[in-house]
Amino acid sequence: MSKLQPARGTRDIYGEESRNMAAVVDTFKRVATSYGFEELSTPIFEFTEVYKRPLGESSDIVSKEMYTFDSHAGNAKDSEELTLRPEFTAGICRSFISNGMQQNLPCRFMSSGPAFRRERPQKGRYRQFHQINAELLGQPGAEADVDLIAMAWRILQELGLGEKVILHLNSLGDRESRAAYRDDLVIYFEQHKGSLSEDSLRRLDSNPLRILDSKDEGDAKIVDGAPLMSASMNDASREFFELVKKGLDAIGVPYELDERLVRGMDYYCHTAFEFVTTELGAQGTVLAGGRYDGLIEQLGGPSTPGVGWAGGIERLAMLSEKGAVPTRPVVIMPMGEAATMKAFSVAEDIRAAGHRVTADRSGNLKKRLTRASKANARFAVVIGDNELEGGSAALKDLDNGEQQTIVFAELGAVISGLLGDAA
């Protein structure tokens, strides 16, 4: 039998990578909480319609990348088409509708976890990947866009990425402006139909804005000469975008205007943004978002403005200089059966004081101390017959070799004190 491996585009996450990814999520939750966000967890799969309806049948995600399956379990009458989550926003908006949350606007939601897309694996991009996600529902003004971008910027700064990313910013205008821009694009691309890729020809009829995102080299040359959104924007859209820029200037968030930055789905409007790095190859976006005032209505809910973003945890962890440092363990070393029984309660007491505790119950003391040092343990707690008789343990500091005898009940407090002194 050949050696079992993870499926293509997936991998096992452990050790330093796991700790670094956890540090990204912890930072995200801490900062988002300070902005008034509350956690929302949605199912890892939804009815396929939740994604098909807003993303569109012609989108690459729906037509090529979604993991969709039938859950009939042998009974055609109970057949349901389900899809593993390719992104968070649609599921969160479905939850907003399902739970009648429109009575509690504005709603600020933070979420995190795995998502799935069947695409070509590359550096920092997998078929099962993980995201942090923030959505602000029920605030139509530009201040909500500023808040969301500011929160993303603060998270990136606290991860040590302030010098590694740049914010790209654009406006997609309101519905009227997008309609005018769509007409301009159709006129332009009609003149180049003979050179467009097959995918772009299909998009020309369904949604020409998606041509601007084409990865085809021939399409890219044509896109270079396409009209810009700014030429189609009405006064209301320009005013909204000016307020976003003024807000970012007021809090010192640097940005670059990028008029080629678009969002292809019809429900997107006004602000579109991406935080981009040059340190991860061609796919340099680490966090991106925008305003989507029409999405909840498109899913069958009440007309509700929304703005949000998502960031790739793997990519942020790869870039971050502030990964989680593992807590150094305290190793308990009971010598004999009676000591082993006592070690159970001693370990629980030390854990209750907030310390990581492991136990080493085999081999002579010298071998155990060697293993503890290799595991980067800070302290060894030795319990033998003599210690049991005296109601105490030998606490050995593995950094400096010092050893002292401490009564069992005081071990947690003494260890805390020694770690505090070291700090």
Side-chain angles (χ1 to χ4, degrees), residues 256-309:
E256 290 182 1
L257 297 179
D258 181 358
E259 292 203 66
R260 292 300 183 194
L261 175 59
V262 298
R263 293 285 182 269
M265 274 62 84
D266 289 337
Y267 54 78
Y268 276 108
C269 62
H270 291 300
T271 314
F273 61 92
E274 293 182 351
F275 285 92
V276 179
T277 182
T278 59
E279 299 192 16
L280 292 175
Q283 298 294 326
T285 301
V286 297
L287 188 152
R291 176 164 284 276
Y292 49 86
D293 287 354
L295 175 54
I296 291 176
E297 190 174 5
Q298 189 170 334
L299 284 169
S303 179
T304 308
V307 58
W309 55 253

Short mmCIF file of all heavy atoms in Angstrom, two decimals, residues 256-309:
data_model
loop_
_atom_site.label_atom_id
_atom_site.label_comp_id
_atom_site.label_asym_id
_atom_site.label_seq_id
_atom_site.Cartn_x
_atom_site.Cartn_y
_atom_site.Cartn_z
N GLU A 256 -3.21 53.77 -2.45
CA GLU A 256 -2.97 54.13 -3.84
C GLU A 256 -4.28 53.96 -4.62
O GLU A 256 -4.96 52.94 -4.45
CB GLU A 256 -1.91 53.22 -4.47
CG GLU A 256 -0.50 53.43 -3.95
CD GLU A 256 0.51 52.54 -4.66
OE1 GLU A 256 0.10 51.77 -5.57
OE2 GLU A 256 1.70 52.61 -4.29
N LEU A 257 -4.63 54.93 -5.43
CA LEU A 257 -5.81 54.80 -6.27
C LEU A 257 -5.51 53.84 -7.41
O LEU A 257 -4.47 53.92 -8.05
CB LEU A 257 -6.23 56.17 -6.81
CG LEU A 257 -6.64 57.20 -5.75
CD1 LEU A 257 -7.02 58.52 -6.42
CD2 LEU A 257 -7.81 56.68 -4.91
N ASP A 258 -6.42 52.91 -7.64
CA ASP A 258 -6.23 51.88 -8.66
C ASP A 258 -7.54 51.75 -9.44
O ASP A 258 -8.44 51.03 -9.04
CB ASP A 258 -5.86 50.55 -8.01
CG ASP A 258 -5.62 49.44 -9.01
OD1 ASP A 258 -5.79 49.68 -10.22
OD2 ASP A 258 -5.28 48.32 -8.58
N GLU A 259 -7.63 52.46 -10.56
CA GLU A 259 -8.88 52.50 -11.31
C GLU A 259 -9.16 51.20 -12.06
O GLU A 259 -10.25 51.04 -12.63
CB GLU A 259 -8.87 53.68 -12.29
CG GLU A 259 -8.93 55.03 -11.58
CD GLU A 259 -9.48 56.12 -12.48
OE1 GLU A 259 -10.67 56.05 -12.85
OE2 GLU A 259 -8.70 57.02 -12.83
N ARG A 260 -8.24 50.27 -12.08
CA ARG A 260 -8.49 48.96 -12.69
C ARG A 260 -8.99 47.94 -11.68
O ARG A 260 -9.28 46.80 -12.03
CB ARG A 260 -7.21 48.43 -13.35
CG ARG A 260 -6.77 49.23 -14.57
CD ARG A 260 -7.84 49.24 -15.63
NE ARG A 260 -7.41 49.94 -16.84
CZ ARG A 260 -8.22 50.33 -17.80
NH1 ARG A 260 -9.52 50.10 -17.69
NH2 ARG A 260 -7.76 50.94 -18.87
N LEU A 261 -9.09 48.35 -10.43
CA LEU A 261 -9.58 47.44 -9.39
C LEU A 261 -11.11 47.40 -9.46
O LEU A 261 -11.77 48.43 -9.29
CB LEU A 261 -9.13 47.92 -8.01
CG LEU A 261 -9.65 47.16 -6.79
CD1 LEU A 261 -9.24 45.70 -6.85
CD2 LEU A 261 -9.13 47.82 -5.52
N VAL A 262 -11.68 46.23 -9.71
CA VAL A 262 -13.13 46.12 -9.85
C VAL A 262 -13.64 44.91 -9.06
O VAL A 262 -12.86 44.07 -8.61
CB VAL A 262 -13.56 45.96 -11.33
CG1 VAL A 262 -13.17 47.18 -12.13
CG2 VAL A 262 -12.99 44.69 -11.93
N ARG A 263 -14.95 44.86 -8.92
CA ARG A 263 -15.65 43.69 -8.41
C ARG A 263 -16.73 43.38 -9.44
O ARG A 263 -17.56 44.23 -9.76
CB ARG A 263 -16.29 43.96 -7.05
CG ARG A 263 -15.29 44.19 -5.93
CD ARG A 263 -14.65 42.88 -5.49
NE ARG A 263 -13.72 43.08 -4.38
CZ ARG A 263 -12.43 43.33 -4.53
NH1 ARG A 263 -11.91 43.41 -5.74
NH2 ARG A 263 -11.65 43.50 -3.49
N GLY A 264 -16.74 42.17 -9.99
CA GLY A 264 -17.58 41.86 -11.12
C GLY A 264 -19.05 41.67 -10.82
O GLY A 264 -19.90 41.88 -11.67
N MET A 265 -19.41 41.27 -9.58
CA MET A 265 -20.80 40.98 -9.29
C MET A 265 -21.64 42.26 -9.25
O MET A 265 -21.20 43.30 -8.80
CB MET A 265 -20.93 40.24 -7.96
CG MET A 265 -20.77 38.73 -8.10
SD MET A 265 -19.14 38.21 -8.71
CE MET A 265 -18.20 38.20 -7.22
N ASP A 266 -22.90 42.13 -9.69
CA ASP A 266 -23.77 43.30 -9.84
C ASP A 266 -24.07 43.99 -8.52
O ASP A 266 -24.39 45.17 -8.49
CB ASP A 266 -25.09 42.89 -10.50
CG ASP A 266 -24.91 42.55 -11.97
OD1 ASP A 266 -23.92 43.02 -12.56
OD2 ASP A 266 -25.75 41.81 -12.52
N TYR A 267 -24.03 43.25 -7.41
CA TYR A 267 -24.42 43.84 -6.14
C TYR A 267 -23.33 44.71 -5.53
O TYR A 267 -23.55 45.41 -4.56
CB TYR A 267 -24.86 42.76 -5.14
CG TYR A 267 -23.85 41.65 -4.92
CD1 TYR A 267 -22.73 41.84 -4.10
CD2 TYR A 267 -24.02 40.41 -5.51
CE1 TYR A 267 -21.82 40.83 -3.90
CE2 TYR A 267 -23.13 39.38 -5.31
CZ TYR A 267 -22.03 39.60 -4.50
OH TYR A 267 -21.12 38.60 -4.29
N TYR A 268 -22.11 44.68 -6.09
CA TYR A 268 -21.05 45.54 -5.57
C TYR A 268 -21.26 46.97 -6.03
O TYR A 268 -21.73 47.23 -7.14
CB TYR A 268 -19.68 45.05 -6.03
CG TYR A 268 -19.12 43.95 -5.15
CD1 TYR A 268 -19.04 42.64 -5.58
CD2 TYR A 268 -18.67 44.24 -3.87
CE1 TYR A 268 -18.52 41.64 -4.78
CE2 TYR A 268 -18.15 43.25 -3.04
CZ TYR A 268 -18.09 41.96 -3.51
OH TYR A 268 -17.59 40.98 -2.70
N CYS A 269 -20.89 47.92 -5.18
CA CYS A 269 -21.02 49.33 -5.52
C CYS A 269 -20.02 50.13 -4.69
O CYS A 269 -19.44 49.62 -3.73
CB CYS A 269 -22.44 49.83 -5.26
SG CYS A 269 -22.96 49.73 -3.53
N HIS A 270 -19.82 51.34 -5.08
CA HIS A 270 -18.95 52.27 -4.36
C HIS A 270 -17.57 51.67 -4.07
O HIS A 270 -16.88 51.24 -4.98
CB HIS A 270 -19.65 52.76 -3.09
CG HIS A 270 -20.83 53.65 -3.36
ND1 HIS A 270 -20.73 54.84 -4.04
CD2 HIS A 270 -22.16 53.51 -3.06
CE1 HIS A 270 -21.92 55.40 -4.16
NE2 HIS A 270 -22.80 54.60 -3.57
N THR A 271 -17.17 51.56 -2.82
CA THR A 271 -15.78 51.28 -2.47
C THR A 271 -15.37 49.84 -2.78
O THR A 271 -16.06 48.89 -2.43
CB THR A 271 -15.55 51.53 -0.97
OG1 THR A 271 -16.13 52.79 -0.62
CG2 THR A 271 -14.07 51.54 -0.65
N ALA A 272 -14.21 49.71 -3.44
CA ALA A 272 -13.55 48.42 -3.62
C ALA A 272 -12.10 48.60 -3.18
O ALA A 272 -11.48 49.63 -3.47
CB ALA A 272 -13.61 47.96 -5.07
N PHE A 273 -11.55 47.62 -2.46
CA PHE A 273 -10.19 47.79 -1.96
C PHE A 273 -9.48 46.45 -1.82
O PHE A 273 -10.12 45.40 -1.66
CB PHE A 273 -10.17 48.53 -0.62
CG PHE A 273 -10.90 47.84 0.49
CD1 PHE A 273 -10.24 46.97 1.34
CD2 PHE A 273 -12.26 48.06 0.69
CE1 PHE A 273 -10.90 46.32 2.38
CE2 PHE A 273 -12.93 47.42 1.73
CZ PHE A 273 -12.26 46.56 2.57
N GLU A 274 -8.17 46.49 -1.89
CA GLU A 274 -7.33 45.32 -1.69
C GLU A 274 -6.04 45.74 -0.99
O GLU A 274 -5.46 46.78 -1.34
CB GLU A 274 -6.95 44.65 -3.02
CG GLU A 274 -8.10 44.01 -3.76
CD GLU A 274 -7.66 43.33 -5.05
OE1 GLU A 274 -6.47 43.52 -5.44
OE2 GLU A 274 -8.48 42.64 -5.66
N PHE A 275 -5.60 44.96 -0.02
CA PHE A 275 -4.26 45.10 0.54
C PHE A 275 -3.37 44.10 -0.19
O PHE A 275 -3.63 42.89 -0.16
CB PHE A 275 -4.26 44.84 2.04
CG PHE A 275 -4.84 45.96 2.85
CD1 PHE A 275 -6.19 45.98 3.18
CD2 PHE A 275 -4.04 47.02 3.26
CE1 PHE A 275 -6.74 47.02 3.92
CE2 PHE A 275 -4.57 48.06 4.01
CZ PHE A 275 -5.92 48.07 4.33
N VAL A 276 -2.32 44.60 -0.82
CA VAL A 276 -1.51 43.80 -1.74
C VAL A 276 -0.06 43.79 -1.26
O VAL A 276 0.45 44.79 -0.75
CB VAL A 276 -1.60 44.37 -3.17
CG1 VAL A 276 -0.73 43.56 -4.13
CG2 VAL A 276 -3.05 44.37 -3.64
N THR A 277 0.61 42.65 -1.45
CA THR A 277 2.03 42.53 -1.15
C THR A 277 2.77 42.04 -2.39
O THR A 277 2.17 41.42 -3.27
CB THR A 277 2.28 41.55 0.01
OG1 THR A 277 3.68 41.50 0.30
CG2 THR A 277 1.81 40.14 -0.34
N THR A 278 4.06 42.32 -2.44
CA THR A 278 4.90 41.81 -3.54
C THR A 278 5.74 40.63 -3.09
O THR A 278 6.59 40.14 -3.84
CB THR A 278 5.84 42.93 -4.05
OG1 THR A 278 6.67 43.38 -2.97
CG2 THR A 278 5.04 44.09 -4.61
N GLU A 279 5.49 40.13 -1.88
CA GLU A 279 6.35 39.10 -1.30
C GLU A 279 5.83 37.68 -1.44
O GLU A 279 6.43 36.74 -0.94
CB GLU A 279 6.60 39.42 0.18
CG GLU A 279 7.30 40.76 0.38
CD GLU A 279 7.79 40.95 1.79
OE1 GLU A 279 7.87 39.96 2.53
OE2 GLU A 279 8.13 42.10 2.15
N LEU A 280 4.69 37.50 -2.12
CA LEU A 280 4.11 36.17 -2.25
C LEU A 280 3.89 35.77 -3.70
O LEU A 280 3.02 34.95 -4.00
CB LEU A 280 2.78 36.09 -1.49
CG LEU A 280 2.87 36.16 0.03
CD1 LEU A 280 1.48 36.19 0.64
CD2 LEU A 280 3.67 35.00 0.59
N GLY A 281 4.66 36.34 -4.62
CA GLY A 281 4.51 35.96 -6.02
C GLY A 281 3.39 36.72 -6.70
O GLY A 281 2.95 37.78 -6.26
N ALA A 282 2.88 36.12 -7.79
CA ALA A 282 1.91 36.80 -8.65
C ALA A 282 0.59 37.07 -7.93
O ALA A 282 -0.06 38.09 -8.16
CB ALA A 282 1.66 35.98 -9.91
N GLN A 283 0.16 36.14 -7.06
CA GLN A 283 -1.09 36.31 -6.34
C GLN A 283 -0.82 37.05 -5.04
O GLN A 283 -0.65 36.45 -3.99
CB GLN A 283 -1.74 34.95 -6.09
CG GLN A 283 -2.11 34.20 -7.35
CD GLN A 283 -3.20 34.89 -8.14
OE1 GLN A 283 -4.10 35.51 -7.58
NE2 GLN A 283 -3.14 34.80 -9.45
N GLY A 284 -0.77 38.39 -5.12
CA GLY A 284 -0.28 39.16 -3.99
C GLY A 284 -1.33 39.74 -3.07
O GLY A 284 -1.01 40.41 -2.09
N THR A 285 -2.62 39.51 -3.33
CA THR A 285 -3.67 40.05 -2.48
C THR A 285 -3.78 39.23 -1.20
O THR A 285 -3.95 38.02 -1.25
CB THR A 285 -5.02 40.06 -3.21
OG1 THR A 285 -4.91 40.84 -4.41
CG2 THR A 285 -6.10 40.66 -2.33
N VAL A 286 -3.70 39.91 -0.05
CA VAL A 286 -3.81 39.20 1.23
C VAL A 286 -5.11 39.51 1.95
O VAL A 286 -5.53 38.75 2.83
CB VAL A 286 -2.61 39.54 2.15
CG1 VAL A 286 -1.31 39.06 1.54
CG2 VAL A 286 -2.54 41.03 2.46
N LEU A 287 -5.77 40.61 1.58
CA LEU A 287 -7.03 40.99 2.21
C LEU A 287 -7.76 41.91 1.24
O LEU A 287 -7.16 42.82 0.68
CB LEU A 287 -6.78 41.68 3.55
CG LEU A 287 -7.97 42.00 4.45
CD1 LEU A 287 -7.53 42.02 5.93
CD2 LEU A 287 -8.63 43.32 4.10
N ALA A 288 -9.05 41.67 1.01
CA ALA A 288 -9.78 42.45 0.02
C ALA A 288 -11.25 42.54 0.40
O ALA A 288 -11.80 41.67 1.09
CB ALA A 288 -9.64 41.83 -1.37
N GLY A 289 -11.91 43.60 -0.07
CA GLY A 289 -13.33 43.75 0.23
C GLY A 289 -13.96 44.87 -0.53
O GLY A 289 -13.39 45.42 -1.48
N GLY A 290 -15.15 45.25 -0.09
CA GLY A 290 -15.88 46.32 -0.75
C GLY A 290 -17.30 46.41 -0.27
O GLY A 290 -17.74 45.65 0.61
N ARG A 291 -18.03 47.34 -0.86
CA ARG A 291 -19.44 47.57 -0.50
C ARG A 291 -20.34 46.76 -1.42
O ARG A 291 -20.10 46.69 -2.63
CB ARG A 291 -19.76 49.06 -0.57
CG ARG A 291 -21.22 49.41 -0.30
CD ARG A 291 -21.41 50.89 -0.01
NE ARG A 291 -20.97 51.22 1.34
CZ ARG A 291 -21.71 51.07 2.43
NH1 ARG A 291 -22.95 50.57 2.34
NH2 ARG A 291 -21.26 51.40 3.61
N TYR A 292 -21.41 46.18 -0.83
CA TYR A 292 -22.30 45.31 -1.60
C TYR A 292 -23.76 45.58 -1.21
O TYR A 292 -24.46 44.72 -0.70
CB TYR A 292 -21.96 43.83 -1.40
CG TYR A 292 -21.81 43.41 0.04
CD1 TYR A 292 -22.91 43.02 0.80
CD2 TYR A 292 -20.56 43.42 0.67
CE1 TYR A 292 -22.79 42.64 2.12
CE2 TYR A 292 -20.43 43.04 1.99
CZ TYR A 292 -21.54 42.65 2.71
OH TYR A 292 -21.41 42.27 4.03
N ASP A 293 -24.26 46.76 -1.50
CA ASP A 293 -25.58 47.17 -1.02
C ASP A 293 -26.73 46.34 -1.59
O ASP A 293 -27.82 46.35 -1.02
CB ASP A 293 -25.81 48.65 -1.35
CG ASP A 293 -24.98 49.57 -0.47
OD1 ASP A 293 -24.34 49.07 0.47
OD2 ASP A 293 -24.98 50.79 -0.73
N GLY A 294 -26.54 45.61 -2.68
CA GLY A 294 -27.64 44.87 -3.27
C GLY A 294 -27.68 43.39 -2.96
O GLY A 294 -28.59 42.69 -3.41
N LEU A 295 -26.72 42.87 -2.20
CA LEU A 295 -26.59 41.43 -2.04
C LEU A 295 -27.74 40.82 -1.23
O LEU A 295 -28.34 39.82 -1.63
CB LEU A 295 -25.25 41.09 -1.39
CG LEU A 295 -25.01 39.60 -1.06
CD1 LEU A 295 -25.21 38.74 -2.29
CD2 LEU A 295 -23.62 39.41 -0.48
N ILE A 296 -28.06 41.37 -0.09
CA ILE A 296 -29.09 40.78 0.76
C ILE A 296 -30.44 40.80 0.04
O ILE A 296 -31.21 39.83 0.10
CB ILE A 296 -29.15 41.52 2.11
CG1 ILE A 296 -27.88 41.22 2.92
CG2 ILE A 296 -30.39 41.13 2.91
CD1 ILE A 296 -27.77 41.95 4.22
N GLU A 297 -30.71 41.87 -0.67
CA GLU A 297 -31.95 41.94 -1.45
C GLU A 297 -31.96 40.87 -2.54
O GLU A 297 -32.99 40.25 -2.81
CB GLU A 297 -32.07 43.34 -2.07
CG GLU A 297 -33.40 43.63 -2.71
CD GLU A 297 -33.50 45.07 -3.15
OE1 GLU A 297 -32.49 45.81 -3.04
OE2 GLU A 297 -34.58 45.47 -3.62
N GLN A 298 -30.81 40.63 -3.16
CA GLN A 298 -30.72 39.63 -4.21
C GLN A 298 -30.96 38.22 -3.67
O GLN A 298 -31.46 37.34 -4.37
CB GLN A 298 -29.34 39.71 -4.89
CG GLN A 298 -29.21 38.85 -6.14
CD GLN A 298 -27.92 39.15 -6.88
OE1 GLN A 298 -27.37 40.24 -6.78
NE2 GLN A 298 -27.43 38.19 -7.62
N LEU A 299 -30.63 38.01 -2.40
CA LEU A 299 -30.86 36.71 -1.76
C LEU A 299 -32.28 36.56 -1.24
O LEU A 299 -32.62 35.53 -0.67
CB LEU A 299 -29.86 36.52 -0.61
CG LEU A 299 -28.43 36.16 -0.99
CD1 LEU A 299 -27.52 36.27 0.22
CD2 LEU A 299 -28.37 34.76 -1.58
N GLY A 300 -33.11 37.58 -1.42
CA GLY A 300 -34.50 37.50 -1.00
C GLY A 300 -34.80 38.20 0.30
O GLY A 300 -35.91 38.10 0.82
N GLY A 301 -33.84 38.93 0.84
CA GLY A 301 -34.05 39.64 2.09
C GLY A 301 -34.41 41.09 1.85
O GLY A 301 -34.53 41.55 0.72
N PRO A 302 -34.55 41.86 2.93
CA PRO A 302 -34.88 43.28 2.80
C PRO A 302 -33.69 44.07 2.27
O PRO A 302 -32.53 43.68 2.46
CB PRO A 302 -35.20 43.69 4.24
CG PRO A 302 -34.41 42.74 5.09
CD PRO A 302 -34.40 41.44 4.35
N SER A 303 -33.97 45.16 1.60
CA SER A 303 -32.89 46.01 1.09
C SER A 303 -32.04 46.50 2.26
O SER A 303 -32.51 47.20 3.14
CB SER A 303 -33.48 47.20 0.33
OG SER A 303 -32.46 48.05 -0.14
N THR A 304 -30.76 46.07 2.28
CA THR A 304 -29.87 46.35 3.41
C THR A 304 -28.47 46.64 2.90
O THR A 304 -27.88 45.80 2.22
CB THR A 304 -29.81 45.14 4.38
OG1 THR A 304 -31.13 44.74 4.74
CG2 THR A 304 -29.02 45.49 5.63
N PRO A 305 -27.92 47.81 3.20
CA PRO A 305 -26.55 48.08 2.76
C PRO A 305 -25.56 47.21 3.51
O PRO A 305 -25.79 46.79 4.65
CB PRO A 305 -26.36 49.56 3.10
CG PRO A 305 -27.31 49.82 4.22
CD PRO A 305 -28.50 48.93 3.96
N GLY A 306 -24.44 46.92 2.86
CA GLY A 306 -23.41 46.10 3.49
C GLY A 306 -22.03 46.43 2.95
O GLY A 306 -21.88 46.86 1.81
N VAL A 307 -21.04 46.22 3.79
CA VAL A 307 -19.65 46.37 3.38
C VAL A 307 -18.83 45.37 4.19
O VAL A 307 -19.14 45.11 5.36
CB VAL A 307 -19.13 47.82 3.59
CG1 VAL A 307 -19.26 48.25 5.04
CG2 VAL A 307 -17.70 47.98 3.09
N GLY A 308 -17.82 44.76 3.57
CA GLY A 308 -17.05 43.76 4.29
C GLY A 308 -15.76 43.44 3.60
O GLY A 308 -15.44 43.98 2.53
N TRP A 309 -14.99 42.56 4.22
CA TRP A 309 -13.73 42.11 3.63
C TRP A 309 -13.38 40.72 4.15
O TRP A 309 -13.91 40.25 5.14
CB TRP A 309 -12.59 43.08 3.89
CG TRP A 309 -12.28 43.46 5.32
CD1 TRP A 309 -12.54 44.65 5.92
CD2 TRP A 309 -11.63 42.66 6.34
NE1 TRP A 309 -12.10 44.65 7.24
CE2 TRP A 309 -11.52 43.44 7.51
CE3 TRP A 309 -11.11 41.36 6.36
CZ2 TRP A 309 -10.94 42.98 8.67
CZ3 TRP A 309 -10.53 40.89 7.54
CH2 TRP A 309 -10.44 41.70 8.67
#
